[in-house]
């Protein structure tokens, strides 16, 4: 059994969480590959082969990123992780999610805004008849003065523990 963690990230927070989730899965004996969403777009076979697909994205404007919000992020940093594609566009182009085992997380600052990219992703996946093995998990970031973000305290540990939880959920779902 194996998992694929696909993430979108502007400033690196969601990437770090995705890697920690992958570590947690692997430590719990579910080998996990972690792939940035722009690269996942060319790897439909790897996506199809994974027993568990984990999807993570940053919350933008109370939901998933759009070309407009990513352009806004670009004005805050010229060193973005995800430069081409967001999870929304990737999912729209991805065939055959019916019956697939999936889990979703997001990052969010929650301070000045509310909302959740993860809940939007969950809704899209449910419409496509994917099977969620766990509730959407949020990880907290702290907004910096320059408009970028850094992970909140304890979030990497939480992500690793959540990854291990997913391994258990996958075993019961199969
Ligand atoms: C354009 C933009 C809009 C944002 N909107 C929200 C929001 O509505 N709610 C929220 O909690 N955080 C919001 N944030 C903060 C992001 O969630 C935060 O930058 C992100 O989780 C950091 O992850 P990343 O480093 O992987 O991009 C926004 C950030 C950007 C750049």
């Amino acid at each position: 059994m194996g998992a694929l963690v696909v993430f979108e990230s502007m400033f690196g927070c969601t990437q770090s969480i995705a890697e920690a989730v992958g570590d947690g899965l692997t430590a719990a004996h579910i080998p996990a590959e972690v792939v940035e969403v722009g690269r996942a777009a060319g790897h439909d076979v790897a996506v199809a082969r994974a027993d568990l697909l984990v999807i993570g994205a940053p919350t933008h404007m109370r939901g998933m990123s759009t070309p407009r919000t990513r352009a806004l992020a670009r004005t805050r940093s010229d060193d973005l992780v995800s430069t081409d594609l967001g999870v929304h566009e990737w999912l729209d182009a991805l065939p055959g999610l019916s019956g697939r085992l999936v889990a979703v997380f997001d990052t969010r600052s929650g301070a000045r805004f509310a909302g959740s990219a993860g809940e939007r992703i969950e809704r899209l996946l449910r419409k496509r008849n994917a099977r969620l093995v766990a509730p959407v998990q949020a990880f907290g970031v702290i907004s910096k003065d320059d408009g970028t973000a850094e992970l909140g305290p304890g979030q990497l540990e939480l992500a690793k523990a959540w990854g291990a939880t997913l391994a258990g959920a996958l075993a019961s779902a199969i």
Side-chain angles (χ1 to χ4, degrees), residues 7-17 57-63 65 68-74 76 80-82 106-117 139-143 147-151:
F7 70 87
E8 171 192 340
S9 183
M10 301 294 114
F11 314 122
C13 300
T14 318
Q15 175 173 24
S16 300
I17 294 292
T59 298
H60 279 187
M61 302 293 184
R62 300 167 198 264
S65 82
R68 198 171 65 84
T69 66
R70 294 197 294 275
L72 198 52
R74 212 172 299 124
R76 301 178 187 178
L80 298 186
V81 178
S82 297
D106 64 32
T107 56
R108 38 181 118 153
S109 68
R112 283 172 45 222
F113 317 93
S116 157
F139 297 95
V141 305
I142 298 166
S143 294
T148 66
E150 63 189 7
L151 281 179

Side-chain angles (χ1 to χ4, degrees), residues 153-167:
Q155 299 307 290
L156 286 179
E157 294 75 9
L158 185 62
K160 198 167 172 189
W162 187 65
T165 307
L166 291 182

